[in-house]
C-alpha cells in the first residue's frame, strides 16, 4: 500500500511540474515569439518569477557589484552517462560536508510557505520553491569554477579529490533543466551553456556568470531555484544515501586512522550498505538476506553481502564515486573487525 501511495505522490508531483512547465513555455512563446526548451530552457515558472522578484527587493548594495564571465573547457556532454540527478545531489552535498567545507555544520533545507525548513521535517507533497544546501565553513574562491583543481586533494578526511565536482554538477543541472546558483564569500555564480563549433562539430561549452561585490557571507551555499519533482525525490532520499542525515543509525565501533575515521554501522532497518566518507557507494543485500543466503547455500553471495554496514575512509574510488577498490574495501573491513571491542558485533 505504501509503495502505491508513493507512486501516486510521484505522479501528482510530475503533473504539477509538467503543468508549471507548460505555463512557462506558453509565457515564453507569448513574450519571445518562439518556444524554448532543452539546455537553453530559461523561461521561468510563475512561482520562480514571484520568488525572484522577492529576492531582488532584499537590501543589497548593488552599486559595487561586478559581473564577469567564466568559460570552462568542459562541454555539457562531459561524463553525461554517469552524471544524472543522483550525482547532482550527492556531489553537491559532499561539497558542503564539514570535512570538505572546513566548517562545523551542513544544512539541507526546503523553502516552503516562505520558510526555510530541514528537508527531513518538510511537508511531503507540498510545493518546494527553493532548495538550499549550505555550510558554515571558510567558503571558496569562484576561480575554482574555471579549473580542474581541488584544494582538498591532500586532506584525507574530505570527499573531494578531483576538482571537477562543482563543474559536473553545473553541467548536469543544465542538462536536467535545473536552475542552479552557487554562493560564497561576496559572490554568486550561475551556469549557462555557450554554443560552439569546431571543424563543423557543434557542442555547448559550460560557462558561469559571476556576480562579485555582494554582501559577505560565511561559508557557501548551493541553491536550486524552482526544483523539479525528480530533484526533490532524490533529496528526500538523503537519509539513506548520506550517513550524516540518517537519524536512526548507530555507530557500533570505530577504527583508527590519521584521515577519515572508519566505522561499523547498524542502520537499524535491516538494510546494509557500503559508505565511503559518509557517502553511499553500494547497497548491501541486507542482514536478513545475508541469513537467508547462508540457509540456501550461498544465495546471498552476490553484491555487497554483509551483516553490518561500513563507512570507510579509503581514497581509491572512481571519479564518478560509484566504484571502490575491492581489495582495499576488504582490507579496511578486516582491520575494523580485528580491532573491534563491541561484543554485540562479535
Amino acid at each position: 500500500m505504501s509503495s502505491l501511495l508513493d507512486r501516486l505522490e510521484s505522479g501528482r508531483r510530475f503533473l504539477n511540474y509538467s503543468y508549471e512547465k507548460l505555463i512557462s513555455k506558453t509565457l515564453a512563446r507569448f513574450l519571445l515569439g518562439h518556444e524554448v526548451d532543452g539546455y537553453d530552457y530559461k523561461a521561468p515558472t510563475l512561482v520562480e518569477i514571484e520568488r525572484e522578484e522577492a529576492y531582488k527587493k532584499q537590501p543589497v548594495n548593488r552599486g559595487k557589484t561586478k559581473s564577469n564571465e567564466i568559460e570552462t573547457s568542459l562541454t555539457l556532454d562531459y561524463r553525461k552517462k554517469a552524471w544524472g540527478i543522483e550525482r547532482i545531489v550527492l556531489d553537491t552535498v559532499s561539497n558542503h560536508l564539514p570535512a570538505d567545507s572546513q566548517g562545523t555544520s551542513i544544512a539541507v533545507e526546503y523553502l516552503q510557505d516562505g520558510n526555510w525548513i530541514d528537508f527531513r521535517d518538510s511537508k511531503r507533497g507540498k510545493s518546494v520553491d527553493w532548495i538550499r544546501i549550505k555550510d558554515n565553513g571558510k567558503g571558496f574562491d569562484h576561480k575554482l569554477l574555471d579549473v580542474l583543481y581541488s584544494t582538498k586533494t591532500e586532506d584525507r578526511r574530505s570527499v573531494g579529490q578531483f576538482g571537477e565536482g562543482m563543474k559536473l554538477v553545473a553541467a548536469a543541472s543544465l542538462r536536467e533543466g535545473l536552475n542552479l546558483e552557487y554562493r560564497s564569500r561576496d559572490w554568486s555564480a550561475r551556469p549557462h551553456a555557450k554554443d560552439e563549433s569546431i571543424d563543423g562539430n557543434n557542442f555547448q561549452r559550460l560557462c558561469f556568470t559571476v556576480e562579485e561585490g555582494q554582501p559577505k557571507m560565511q561559508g557557501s551555499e548551493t541553491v536550486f531555484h524552482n526544483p523539479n519533482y525528480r530533484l526533490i525525490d532524490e533529496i528526500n532520499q538523503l537519509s539513506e544515501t548520506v550517513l550524516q542525515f540518517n537519524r536512526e543509525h548507530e555507530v557500533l565501533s570505530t577504527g583508527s586512522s590519521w584521515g577519515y575515521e572508519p566505522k561499523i554501522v547498524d542502520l537499524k532497518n535491516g538494510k546494509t550498505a557500503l559508505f565511503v566518507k559518509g557517502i553511499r557507494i553500494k547497497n548491501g543485500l541486507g542482514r536478513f538476506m545475508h541469513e537467508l543466503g547462508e540457509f540456501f547455500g550461498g544465495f546471498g553471495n552476490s553484491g555487497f553481502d554483509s551483516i553490518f554496514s561500513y563507512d570507510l575512509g579509503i581514497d581509491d574510488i572512481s571519479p564518478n564515486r560509484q566504484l571502490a577498490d575491492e581489495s582495499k574495501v576488504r582490507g579496511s573491513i578486516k582491520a575494523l573487525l580485528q580491532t573491534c571491542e563491541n561484543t554485540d558485533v562479535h
Side-chain angles (χ1 to χ4, degrees):
M1 184 66 179
S2 175
S3 177
L4 177 59
L5 291 175
D6 288 342
R7 291 182 184 178
L8 290 173
E9 175 60 27
S10 294
R12 189 191 66 77
R13 292 181 186 175
F14 175 75
L15 290 174
N16 285 345
Y17 168 69
S18 299
Y19 174 74
E20 284 197 346
K21 190 170 182 180
L22 176 62
I23 294 296
S24 300
K25 287 186 177 183
T26 303
L27 182 63
R29 194 182 298 114
F30 174 74
L31 295 175
L32 303 177
H34 61 87
E35 184 176 292
V36 290
D37 207 347
Y39 297 155
D40 295 319
Y41 175 70
K42 295 180 181 179
T45 65
L46 299 178
V47 171
E48 185 177 6
I49 292 173
E50 180 181 329
R51 293 298 174 186
E52 287 293 334
E53 288 301 319
Y55 175 71
K56 290 176 183 178
K57 292 178 182 179
Q58 294 179 3
V60 176
N61 185 3
R62 302 186 180 278
K64 297 182 180 179
T65 60
K66 180 177 68 174
S67 178
N68 63 78
E69 292 290 312
I70 291 178
E71 292 188 2
T72 75
S73 60
L74 301 180
T75 70
L76 255 60
D77 289 330
Y78 182 63
R79 294 199 181 169
K80 178 179 178 180
K81 292 183 179 180
W83 282 71
I85 292 290
E86 181 184 31
R87 288 255 58 85
I88 289 173
V89 171
L90 292 183
D91 272 75
T92 296
V93 169
S94 68
N95 284 331
H96 294 279
L97 289 172
D100 285 62
S101 70
Q102 297 187 26
T104 59
S105 67
I106 177 176
V108 178
E109 300 172 323
Y110 290 161
L111 182 63
Q112 286 187 326
D113 294 330
N115 298 310
W116 288 106
I117 56 175
D118 188 293
F119 79 97
R120 292 166 293 186
D121 301 322
S122 64
K123 300 175 183 177
R124 299 297 170 91
K126 196 172 187 63
S127 64
V128 175
D129 299 327
W130 289 5
I131 296 175
R132 178 174 69 184
I133 301 96
K134 66 175 185 175
D135 62 72
N136 64 349
K138 68 175 186 178
F140 63 95
D141 195 312
H142 62 77
K143 293 177 183 176
L144 289 172
L145 297 174
D146 192 18
V147 292
L148 289 176
Y149 170 76
S150 175
T151 60
K152 301 174 284 187
T153 303
E154 302 302 322
D155 187 351
R156 298 198 63 180
R157 298 171 303 157
S158 68
V159 178
Q161 301 175 33
F162 307 102
E164 59 183 18
M166 288 187 297
K167 275 78 78 177
L168 294 186
V169 165
S173 294
L174 289 174
R175 290 196 301 268
E176 296 287 342
L178 300 174
N179 191 341
L180 168 70
E181 180 181 12
Y182 292 131
R183 299 174 181 172
S184 189
R185 298 180 181 175
D186 66 342
W187 60 268
S188 67
R190 295 201 184 209
H192 62 92
K194 180 181 178 182
D195 293 328
E196 301 272 8
S197 179
I198 297 178
D199 289 337
N201 297 309
N202 299 322
F203 62 93
Q204 291 188 304
R205 182 191 297 272
L206 173 64
C207 302
F208 291 93
T209 299
V210 179
E211 297 285 343
E212 297 181 75
Q214 299 188 9
K216 290 185 178 180
M217 62 176 291
Q218 182 179 2
S220 58
E221 295 182 355
T222 301
V223 180
F224 293 94
H225 302 262
N226 188 34
N228 61 33
Y229 80 99
R230 293 181 60 227
L231 180 65
I232 296 169
D233 283 346
E234 194 64 44
I235 292 283
N236 286 339
Q237 297 179 50
L238 278 176
S239 296
E240 296 184 7
T241 56
V242 179
L243 202 55
Q244 178 148 341
F245 294 107
N246 188 311
R247 289 170 170 168
E248 306 299 326
H249 80 280
E250 178 185 359
V251 175
L252 301 175
S253 181
T254 59
S256 60
S257 172
W258 63 273
Y260 186 90
E261 184 179 63
K263 308 174 187 70
I264 301 176
V265 178
D266 182 359
L267 295 179
K268 297 295 185 181
N269 55 10
K271 296 180 181 179
T272 58
L274 172 64
F275 298 84
V276 173
K277 297 182 179 178
I279 307 294
R280 189 180 69 188
I281 296 294
K282 183 186 295 186
N283 274 322
L285 297 174
R287 182 175 299 182
F288 305 120
M289 287 301 295
H290 174 87
E291 294 169 356
L292 284 174
E294 291 182 344
F295 180 78
F296 286 108
F299 172 75
N301 288 334
S302 61
F304 180 68
D305 181 15
S306 65
I307 299 175
F308 301 106
S309 296
Y310 296 91
D311 182 21
L312 308 179
I314 58 179
D315 290 321
D316 292 326
I317 56 176
S318 68
N320 295 332
R321 308 188 189 283
Q322 296 168 326
L323 299 172
D325 187 305
E326 184 175 351
S327 64
K328 296 206 172 182
V329 168
R330 289 179 176 273
S332 297
I333 291 175
K334 178 181 178 180
L336 273 171
L337 293 173
Q338 285 178 328
T339 58
C340 176
E341 298 181 356
N342 187 328
T343 55
D344 291 335
V345 173
H346 296 165

